[in-house]
mmCIF file of all heavy atoms in Angstrom:
data_model
loop_
_atom_site.group_PDB
_atom_site.id
_atom_site.type_symbol
_atom_site.label_atom_id
_atom_site.label_comp_id
_atom_site.label_asym_id
_atom_site.label_seq_id
_atom_site.Cartn_x
_atom_site.Cartn_y
_atom_site.Cartn_z
ATOM 1 N N SER J 368 0.827 -1.208 0.000
ATOM 2 C CA SER J 368 0.000 0.000 0.000
ATOM 3 C C SER J 368 0.860 1.256 0.000
ATOM 4 O O SER J 368 0.524 2.245 -0.665
ATOM 5 C CB SER J 368 -0.946 0.003 1.205
ATOM 6 O OG SER J 368 -0.273 0.312 2.404
ATOM 7 N N LEU J 369 1.979 1.227 0.705
ATOM 8 C CA LEU J 369 2.862 2.394 0.737
ATOM 9 C C LEU J 369 3.541 2.622 -0.615
ATOM 10 O O LEU J 369 3.805 3.764 -1.002
ATOM 11 C CB LEU J 369 3.930 2.236 1.818
ATOM 12 C CG LEU J 369 3.467 2.140 3.274
ATOM 13 C CD1 LEU J 369 4.664 2.237 4.219
ATOM 14 C CD2 LEU J 369 2.444 3.193 3.623
ATOM 15 N N LYS J 370 3.794 1.545 -1.323
ATOM 16 C CA LYS J 370 4.499 1.668 -2.613
ATOM 17 C C LYS J 370 3.667 2.363 -3.685
ATOM 18 O O LYS J 370 4.193 2.800 -4.699
ATOM 19 C CB LYS J 370 4.945 0.280 -3.098
ATOM 20 C CG LYS J 370 6.186 -0.232 -2.374
ATOM 21 C CD LYS J 370 6.742 -1.502 -2.987
ATOM 22 C CE LYS J 370 5.964 -2.706 -2.582
ATOM 23 N NZ LYS J 370 6.590 -3.974 -3.065
ATOM 24 N N LYS J 371 2.368 2.507 -3.444
ATOM 25 C CA LYS J 371 1.513 3.198 -4.417
ATOM 26 C C LYS J 371 1.742 4.703 -4.410
ATOM 27 O O LYS J 371 1.309 5.396 -5.325
ATOM 28 C CB LYS J 371 0.039 2.898 -4.116
ATOM 29 C CG LYS J 371 -0.339 1.432 -4.303
ATOM 30 C CD LYS J 371 -1.773 1.177 -3.879
ATOM 31 C CE LYS J 371 -2.134 -0.297 -4.016
ATOM 32 N NZ LYS J 371 -3.513 -0.579 -3.530
ATOM 33 N N ASP J 372 2.410 5.199 -3.383
ATOM 34 C CA ASP J 372 2.551 6.650 -3.225
ATOM 35 C C ASP J 372 3.989 7.056 -2.934
ATOM 36 O O ASP J 372 4.256 7.937 -2.116
ATOM 37 C CB ASP J 372 1.642 7.134 -2.088
ATOM 38 C CG ASP J 372 0.195 6.729 -2.296
ATOM 39 O OD1 ASP J 372 -0.424 7.233 -3.245
ATOM 40 O OD2 ASP J 372 -0.304 5.889 -1.523
ATOM 41 N N ILE J 373 4.928 6.422 -3.621
ATOM 42 C CA ILE J 373 6.346 6.721 -3.394
ATOM 43 C C ILE J 373 6.702 8.101 -3.940
ATOM 44 O O ILE J 373 6.095 8.591 -4.888
ATOM 45 C CB ILE J 373 7.244 5.655 -4.044
ATOM 46 C CG1 ILE J 373 6.919 5.508 -5.542
ATOM 47 C CG2 ILE J 373 7.127 4.328 -3.311
ATOM 48 C CD1 ILE J 373 7.881 4.660 -6.311
ATOM 49 N N ARG J 374 7.713 8.692 -3.338
ATOM 50 C CA ARG J 374 8.219 9.979 -3.794
ATOM 51 C C ARG J 374 9.404 9.811 -4.747
ATOM 52 O O ARG J 374 9.677 10.682 -5.563
ATOM 53 C CB ARG J 374 8.649 10.829 -2.589
ATOM 54 C CG ARG J 374 7.521 11.106 -1.599
ATOM 55 C CD ARG J 374 8.031 11.834 -0.364
ATOM 56 N NE ARG J 374 8.444 13.198 -0.682
ATOM 57 C CZ ARG J 374 7.654 14.258 -0.513
ATOM 58 N NH1 ARG J 374 6.414 14.117 -0.065
ATOM 59 N NH2 ARG J 374 8.100 15.463 -0.796
ATOM 60 N N THR J 375 10.128 8.697 -4.616
ATOM 61 C CA THR J 375 11.300 8.432 -5.460
ATOM 62 C C THR J 375 11.325 6.960 -5.841
ATOM 63 O O THR J 375 10.742 6.125 -5.149
ATOM 64 C CB THR J 375 12.615 8.758 -4.724
ATOM 65 O OG1 THR J 375 12.790 7.825 -3.640
ATOM 66 C CG2 THR J 375 12.605 10.187 -4.165
ATOM 67 N N GLN J 376 12.035 6.643 -6.930
ATOM 68 C CA GLN J 376 12.194 5.230 -7.294
ATOM 69 C C GLN J 376 12.961 4.471 -6.221
ATOM 70 O O GLN J 376 12.683 3.302 -5.942
ATOM 71 C CB GLN J 376 12.956 5.124 -8.627
ATOM 72 C CG GLN J 376 12.114 5.389 -9.862
ATOM 73 C CD GLN J 376 12.913 5.142 -11.129
ATOM 74 O OE1 GLN J 376 13.868 5.879 -11.409
ATOM 75 N NE2 GLN J 376 12.539 4.147 -11.885
ATOM 76 N N GLN J 377 13.938 5.134 -5.628
ATOM 77 C CA GLN J 377 14.743 4.478 -4.596
ATOM 78 C C GLN J 377 13.900 4.134 -3.373
ATOM 79 O O GLN J 377 14.139 3.122 -2.701
ATOM 80 C CB GLN J 377 15.924 5.367 -4.199
ATOM 81 C CG GLN J 377 17.008 5.488 -5.259
ATOM 82 C CD GLN J 377 16.659 6.488 -6.356
ATOM 83 O OE1 GLN J 377 15.692 7.253 -6.235
ATOM 84 N NE2 GLN J 377 17.448 6.497 -7.423
ATOM 85 N N GLU J 378 12.902 4.945 -3.090
ATOM 86 C CA GLU J 378 12.011 4.646 -1.974
ATOM 87 C C GLU J 378 11.302 3.317 -2.192
ATOM 88 O O GLU J 378 11.143 2.518 -1.257
ATOM 89 C CB GLU J 378 10.977 5.761 -1.788
ATOM 90 C CG GLU J 378 10.021 5.492 -0.635
ATOM 91 C CD GLU J 378 8.978 6.583 -0.454
ATOM 92 O OE1 GLU J 378 9.100 7.646 -1.090
ATOM 93 O OE2 GLU J 378 8.043 6.369 0.344
ATOM 94 N N GLU J 379 10.884 3.046 -3.414
ATOM 95 C CA GLU J 379 10.226 1.767 -3.685
ATOM 96 C C GLU J 379 11.179 0.606 -3.437
ATOM 97 O O GLU J 379 10.782 -0.430 -2.901
ATOM 98 C CB GLU J 379 9.706 1.720 -5.120
ATOM 99 C CG GLU J 379 8.979 0.410 -5.426
ATOM 100 C CD GLU J 379 8.134 0.470 -6.682
ATOM 101 O OE1 GLU J 379 8.321 1.406 -7.489
ATOM 102 O OE2 GLU J 379 7.287 -0.420 -6.853
ATOM 103 N N ALA J 380 12.453 0.778 -3.798
ATOM 104 C CA ALA J 380 13.433 -0.277 -3.543
ATOM 105 C C ALA J 380 13.591 -0.522 -2.042
ATOM 106 O O ALA J 380 13.674 -1.675 -1.590
ATOM 107 C CB ALA J 380 14.779 0.098 -4.167
ATOM 108 N N VAL J 381 13.617 0.548 -1.257
ATOM 109 C CA VAL J 381 13.722 0.408 0.189
ATOM 110 C C VAL J 381 12.488 -0.311 0.742
ATOM 111 O O VAL J 381 12.601 -1.218 1.575
ATOM 112 C CB VAL J 381 13.896 1.785 0.860
ATOM 113 C CG1 VAL J 381 13.833 1.647 2.388
ATOM 114 C CG2 VAL J 381 15.225 2.420 0.454
ATOM 115 N N LEU J 382 11.315 0.055 0.262
ATOM 116 C CA LEU J 382 10.085 -0.599 0.729
ATOM 117 C C LEU J 382 10.044 -2.068 0.315
ATOM 118 O O LEU J 382 9.504 -2.910 1.049
ATOM 119 C CB LEU J 382 8.864 0.150 0.207
ATOM 120 C CG LEU J 382 8.679 1.575 0.740
ATOM 121 C CD1 LEU J 382 7.478 2.245 0.084
ATOM 122 C CD2 LEU J 382 8.531 1.595 2.261
ATOM 123 N N ASN J 383 10.610 -2.395 -0.844
ATOM 124 C CA ASN J 383 10.724 -3.800 -1.240
ATOM 125 C C ASN J 383 11.567 -4.573 -0.231
ATOM 126 O O ASN J 383 11.249 -5.714 0.136
ATOM 127 C CB ASN J 383 11.361 -3.923 -2.622
ATOM 128 C CG ASN J 383 10.419 -3.554 -3.748
ATOM 129 O OD1 ASN J 383 9.201 -3.584 -3.592
ATOM 130 N ND2 ASN J 383 10.972 -3.186 -4.893
ATOM 131 N N ASN J 384 12.658 -3.959 0.197
ATOM 132 C CA ASN J 384 13.525 -4.593 1.188
ATOM 133 C C ASN J 384 12.766 -4.795 2.499
ATOM 134 O O ASN J 384 12.811 -5.881 3.104
ATOM 135 C CB ASN J 384 14.764 -3.715 1.410
ATOM 136 C CG ASN J 384 15.759 -4.326 2.378
ATOM 137 O OD1 ASN J 384 15.449 -4.547 3.540
ATOM 138 N ND2 ASN J 384 16.965 -4.574 1.898
ATOM 139 N N ILE J 385 12.058 -3.754 2.933
ATOM 140 C CA ILE J 385 11.291 -3.850 4.178
ATOM 141 C C ILE J 385 10.226 -4.939 4.066
ATOM 142 O O ILE J 385 10.023 -5.737 4.993
ATOM 143 C CB ILE J 385 10.654 -2.488 4.508
ATOM 144 C CG1 ILE J 385 11.750 -1.460 4.858
ATOM 145 C CG2 ILE J 385 9.652 -2.618 5.663
ATOM 146 C CD1 ILE J 385 11.227 -0.050 5.059
ATOM 147 N N GLU J 386 9.562 -5.006 2.924
ATOM 148 C CA GLU J 386 8.515 -6.003 2.709
ATOM 149 C C GLU J 386 9.073 -7.421 2.856
ATOM 150 O O GLU J 386 8.471 -8.277 3.511
ATOM 151 C CB GLU J 386 7.928 -5.814 1.312
ATOM 152 C CG GLU J 386 6.760 -6.716 0.980
ATOM 153 C CD GLU J 386 6.145 -6.349 -0.357
ATOM 154 O OE1 GLU J 386 6.892 -6.282 -1.361
ATOM 155 O OE2 GLU J 386 4.937 -6.109 -0.404
ATOM 156 N N PHE J 387 10.240 -7.658 2.273
ATOM 157 C CA PHE J 387 10.857 -8.982 2.397
ATOM 158 C C PHE J 387 11.215 -9.296 3.844
ATOM 159 O O PHE J 387 10.949 -10.397 4.341
ATOM 160 C CB PHE J 387 12.103 -9.079 1.512
ATOM 161 C CG PHE J 387 12.872 -10.358 1.719
ATOM 162 C CD1 PHE J 387 12.373 -11.562 1.247
ATOM 163 C CD2 PHE J 387 14.069 -10.362 2.418
ATOM 164 C CE1 PHE J 387 13.069 -12.752 1.453
ATOM 165 C CE2 PHE J 387 14.772 -11.540 2.632
ATOM 166 C CZ PHE J 387 14.265 -12.743 2.141
ATOM 167 N N MET J 388 11.808 -8.318 4.535
ATOM 168 C CA MET J 388 12.221 -8.589 5.907
ATOM 169 C C MET J 388 11.019 -8.795 6.833
ATOM 170 O O MET J 388 11.107 -9.555 7.803
ATOM 171 C CB MET J 388 13.113 -7.464 6.425
ATOM 172 C CG MET J 388 14.511 -7.458 5.815
ATOM 173 S SD MET J 388 15.353 -9.080 5.802
ATOM 174 C CE MET J 388 15.464 -9.444 7.571
ATOM 175 N N GLU J 389 9.886 -8.165 6.529
ATOM 176 C CA GLU J 389 8.690 -8.450 7.325
ATOM 177 C C GLU J 389 8.260 -9.906 7.147
ATOM 178 O O GLU J 389 7.758 -10.538 8.083
ATOM 179 C CB GLU J 389 7.545 -7.504 6.949
ATOM 180 C CG GLU J 389 7.803 -6.028 7.237
ATOM 181 C CD GLU J 389 7.910 -5.683 8.709
ATOM 182 O OE1 GLU J 389 7.692 -6.572 9.561
ATOM 183 O OE2 GLU J 389 8.206 -4.518 9.024
ATOM 184 N N SER J 390 8.452 -10.438 5.954
ATOM 185 C CA SER J 390 8.163 -11.863 5.729
ATOM 186 C C SER J 390 9.140 -12.732 6.506
ATOM 187 O O SER J 390 8.756 -13.790 7.039
ATOM 188 C CB SER J 390 8.243 -12.184 4.230
ATOM 189 O OG SER J 390 7.219 -11.537 3.510
ATOM 190 N N VAL J 391 10.404 -12.321 6.573
ATOM 191 C CA VAL J 391 11.393 -13.045 7.382
ATOM 192 C C VAL J 391 10.968 -13.027 8.846
ATOM 193 O O VAL J 391 11.043 -14.053 9.543
ATOM 194 C CB VAL J 391 12.798 -12.427 7.214
ATOM 195 C CG1 VAL J 391 13.788 -13.038 8.214
ATOM 196 C CG2 VAL J 391 13.311 -12.627 5.796
ATOM 197 N N HIS J 392 10.520 -11.877 9.315
ATOM 198 C CA HIS J 392 10.071 -11.782 10.703
ATOM 199 C C HIS J 392 8.921 -12.754 10.972
ATOM 200 O O HIS J 392 8.935 -13.487 11.968
ATOM 201 C CB HIS J 392 9.593 -10.360 11.022
ATOM 202 C CG HIS J 392 10.645 -9.310 10.874
ATOM 203 N ND1 HIS J 392 10.367 -7.965 10.969
ATOM 204 C CD2 HIS J 392 11.975 -9.399 10.629
ATOM 205 C CE1 HIS J 392 11.482 -7.275 10.791
ATOM 206 N NE2 HIS J 392 12.470 -8.117 10.577
ATOM 207 N N ALA J 393 7.921 -12.752 10.092
ATOM 208 C CA ALA J 393 6.769 -13.633 10.283
ATOM 209 C C ALA J 393 7.191 -15.098 10.286
ATOM 210 O O ALA J 393 6.698 -15.898 11.100
ATOM 211 C CB ALA J 393 5.730 -13.377 9.189
ATOM 212 N N LYS J 394 8.103 -15.459 9.402
ATOM 213 C CA LYS J 394 8.585 -16.838 9.361
ATOM 214 C C LYS J 394 9.372 -17.204 10.616
ATOM 215 O O LYS J 394 9.336 -18.349 11.080
ATOM 216 C CB LYS J 394 9.453 -17.068 8.123
ATOM 217 C CG LYS J 394 10.009 -18.487 8.035
ATOM 218 C CD LYS J 394 10.940 -18.673 6.864
ATOM 219 C CE LYS J 394 11.567 -20.069 6.882
ATOM 220 N NZ LYS J 394 12.409 -20.279 8.093
ATOM 221 N N SER J 395 10.074 -16.223 11.182
ATOM 222 C CA SER J 395 10.900 -16.493 12.356
ATOM 223 C C SER J 395 10.070 -17.030 13.517
ATOM 224 O O SER J 395 10.522 -17.905 14.262
ATOM 225 C CB SER J 395 11.610 -15.213 12.796
ATOM 226 O OG SER J 395 12.487 -14.755 11.799
ATOM 227 N N TYR J 396 8.858 -16.511 13.660
ATOM 228 C CA TYR J 396 8.012 -16.992 14.747
ATOM 229 C C TYR J 396 7.631 -18.453 14.536
ATOM 230 O O TYR J 396 7.530 -19.220 15.500
ATOM 231 C CB TYR J 396 6.766 -16.110 14.878
ATOM 232 C CG TYR J 396 7.100 -14.658 15.120
ATOM 233 C CD1 TYR J 396 6.668 -13.661 14.248
ATOM 234 C CD2 TYR J 396 7.882 -14.274 16.211
ATOM 235 C CE1 TYR J 396 6.985 -12.325 14.458
ATOM 236 C CE2 TYR J 396 8.211 -12.947 16.430
ATOM 237 C CZ TYR J 396 7.762 -11.975 15.542
ATOM 238 O OH TYR J 396 8.097 -10.664 15.754
ATOM 239 N N SER J 397 7.438 -18.844 13.286
ATOM 240 C CA SER J 397 7.162 -20.256 13.013
ATOM 241 C C SER J 397 8.360 -21.124 13.361
ATOM 242 O O SER J 397 8.193 -22.269 13.809
ATOM 243 C CB SER J 397 6.771 -20.438 11.540
ATOM 244 O OG SER J 397 5.480 -19.921 11.289
ATOM 245 N N SER J 398 9.560 -20.599 13.152
ATOM 246 C CA SER J 398 10.764 -21.346 13.546
ATOM 247 C C SER J 398 10.803 -21.528 15.059
ATOM 248 O O SER J 398 11.189 -22.592 15.562
ATOM 249 C CB SER J 398 12.023 -20.612 13.080
ATOM 250 O OG SER J 398 12.098 -20.585 11.678
ATOM 251 N N ILE J 399 10.383 -20.498 15.789
ATOM 252 C CA ILE J 399 10.323 -20.612 17.250
ATOM 253 C C ILE J 399 9.290 -21.663 17.641
ATOM 254 O O ILE J 399 9.555 -22.541 18.471
ATOM 255 C CB ILE J 399 9.988 -19.243 17.882
ATOM 256 C CG1 ILE J 399 11.143 -18.268 17.654
ATOM 257 C CG2 ILE J 399 9.703 -19.401 19.378
ATOM 258 C CD1 ILE J 399 10.832 -16.828 18.046
ATOM 259 N N PHE J 400 8.108 -21.587 17.031
ATOM 260 C CA PHE J 400 7.057 -22.563 17.343
ATOM 261 C C PHE J 400 7.513 -23.991 17.057
ATOM 262 O O PHE J 400 7.292 -24.900 17.854
ATOM 263 C CB PHE J 400 5.794 -22.272 16.532
ATOM 264 C CG PHE J 400 5.080 -21.003 16.911
ATOM 265 C CD1 PHE J 400 4.493 -20.212 15.934
ATOM 266 C CD2 PHE J 400 4.986 -20.597 18.231
ATOM 267 C CE1 PHE J 400 3.833 -19.046 16.266
ATOM 268 C CE2 PHE J 400 4.333 -19.423 18.585
ATOM 269 C CZ PHE J 400 3.757 -18.640 17.591
ATOM 270 N N SER J 401 8.137 -24.193 15.901
ATOM 271 C CA SER J 401 8.517 -25.557 15.518
ATOM 272 C C SER J 401 9.589 -26.121 16.444
ATOM 273 O O SER J 401 9.727 -27.340 16.568
ATOM 274 C CB SER J 401 9.009 -25.584 14.063
ATOM 275 O OG SER J 401 10.210 -24.858 13.919
ATOM 276 N N THR J 402 10.342 -25.238 17.108
ATOM 277 C CA THR J 402 11.358 -25.683 18.051
ATOM 278 C C THR J 402 10.767 -25.983 19.417
ATOM 279 O O THR J 402 11.113 -26.980 20.057
ATOM 280 C CB THR J 402 12.461 -24.602 18.195
ATOM 281 O OG1 THR J 402 13.027 -24.334 16.918
ATOM 282 C CG2 THR J 402 13.555 -25.061 19.152
ATOM 283 N N LEU J 403 9.856 -25.138 19.875
ATOM 284 C CA LEU J 403 9.371 -25.221 21.250
ATOM 285 C C LEU J 403 8.060 -25.970 21.409
ATOM 286 O O LEU J 403 7.766 -26.455 22.514
ATOM 287 C CB LEU J 403 9.190 -23.798 21.822
ATOM 288 C CG LEU J 403 10.414 -22.875 21.801
ATOM 289 C CD1 LEU J 403 10.042 -21.529 22.422
ATOM 290 C CD2 LEU J 403 11.607 -23.495 22.512
ATOM 291 N N ASN J 404 7.269 -26.090 20.346
ATOM 292 C CA ASN J 404 5.903 -26.594 20.478
ATOM 293 C C ASN J 404 5.649 -27.843 19.649
ATOM 294 O O ASN J 404 6.311 -28.080 18.643
ATOM 295 C CB ASN J 404 4.901 -25.514 20.053
ATOM 296 C CG ASN J 404 5.010 -24.250 20.875
ATOM 297 O OD1 ASN J 404 5.651 -23.293 20.463
ATOM 298 N ND2 ASN J 404 4.414 -24.251 22.054
ATOM 299 N N THR J 405 4.638 -28.597 20.064
ATOM 300 C CA THR J 405 4.198 -29.750 19.295
ATOM 301 C C THR J 405 3.301 -29.274 18.146
ATOM 302 O O THR J 405 2.768 -28.160 18.193
ATOM 303 C CB THR J 405 3.383 -30.705 20.178
ATOM 304 O OG1 THR J 405 2.160 -30.041 20.565
ATOM 305 C CG2 THR J 405 4.162 -31.111 21.425
ATOM 306 N N PRO J 406 3.094 -30.098 17.123
ATOM 307 C CA PRO J 406 2.192 -29.699 16.029
ATOM 308 C C PRO J 406 0.797 -29.316 16.514
ATOM 309 O O PRO J 406 0.199 -28.350 16.034
ATOM 310 C CB PRO J 406 2.155 -30.928 15.134
ATOM 311 C CG PRO J 406 3.490 -31.572 15.353
ATOM 312 C CD PRO J 406 3.794 -31.361 16.816
ATOM 313 N N LYS J 407 0.258 -30.045 17.489
ATOM 314 C CA LYS J 407 -1.069 -29.717 18.029
ATOM 315 C C LYS J 407 -1.052 -28.357 18.714
ATOM 316 O O LYS J 407 -1.982 -27.547 18.554
ATOM 317 C CB LYS J 407 -1.498 -30.810 19.027
ATOM 318 C CG LYS J 407 -2.802 -30.509 19.789
ATOM 319 C CD LYS J 407 -4.003 -30.395 18.857
ATOM 320 C CE LYS J 407 -5.326 -30.425 19.600
ATOM 321 N NZ LYS J 407 -5.493 -29.290 20.538
ATOM 322 N N GLU J 408 0.000 -28.099 19.475
ATOM 323 C CA GLU J 408 0.113 -26.794 20.141
ATOM 324 C C GLU J 408 0.205 -25.660 19.128
ATOM 325 O O GLU J 408 -0.395 -24.592 19.314
ATOM 326 C CB GLU J 408 1.337 -26.775 21.059
ATOM 327 C CG GLU J 408 1.176 -27.629 22.311
ATOM 328 C CD GLU J 408 2.475 -27.793 23.075
ATOM 329 O OE1 GLU J 408 3.556 -27.544 22.491
ATOM 330 O OE2 GLU J 408 2.418 -28.191 24.249
ATOM 331 N N ILE J 409 0.927 -25.880 18.048
ATOM 332 C CA ILE J 409 1.070 -24.858 17.011
ATOM 333 C C ILE J 409 -0.286 -24.573 16.372
ATOM 334 O O ILE J 409 -0.667 -23.414 16.155
ATOM 335 C CB ILE J 409 2.099 -25.292 15.947
ATOM 336 C CG1 ILE J 409 3.493 -25.368 16.568
ATOM 337 C CG2 ILE J 409 2.104 -24.323 14.765
ATOM 338 C CD1 ILE J 409 4.533 -26.014 15.669
ATOM 339 N N ASP J 410 -1.041 -25.632 16.079
ATOM 340 C CA ASP J 410 -2.392 -25.446 15.512
ATOM 341 C C ASP J 410 -3.264 -24.626 16.461
ATOM 342 O O ASP J 410 -4.012 -23.737 16.024
ATOM 343 C CB ASP J 410 -3.053 -26.797 15.250
ATOM 344 C CG ASP J 410 -2.443 -27.523 14.060
ATOM 345 O OD1 ASP J 410 -1.737 -26.877 13.257
ATOM 346 O OD2 ASP J 410 -2.668 -28.746 13.952
#
């Protein structure tokens, strides 16, 4: 949504980077769950 209103082309590149790292963050919690919890607990 933020990329629809960029001020510079470089800003879009920065937001692309942020978007990817937010996906890394979300996945990281699943890595924590898979280490500490059973499949039933995760569900």
Side-chain angles (χ1 to χ4, degrees):
S368 75
L369 297 190
K370 282 188 282 186
K371 295 175 182 177
D372 305 293
I373 55 171
R374 301 174 69 96
T375 67
Q376 281 185 293
Q377 289 80 11
E378 180 181 350
E379 182 164 16
V381 173
L382 295 177
N383 285 338
N384 183 298
I385 293 174
E386 184 173 53
F387 173 73
M388 287 312 298
E389 296 293 355
S390 293
V391 171
H392 299 172
K394 179 184 175 297
S395 297
Y396 302 121
S397 288
S398 294
I399 293 171
F400 292 142
S401 66
T402 302
L403 304 181
N404 301 97
T405 66
K407 173 63 167 62
E408 288 170 342
I409 294 170
D410 288 344

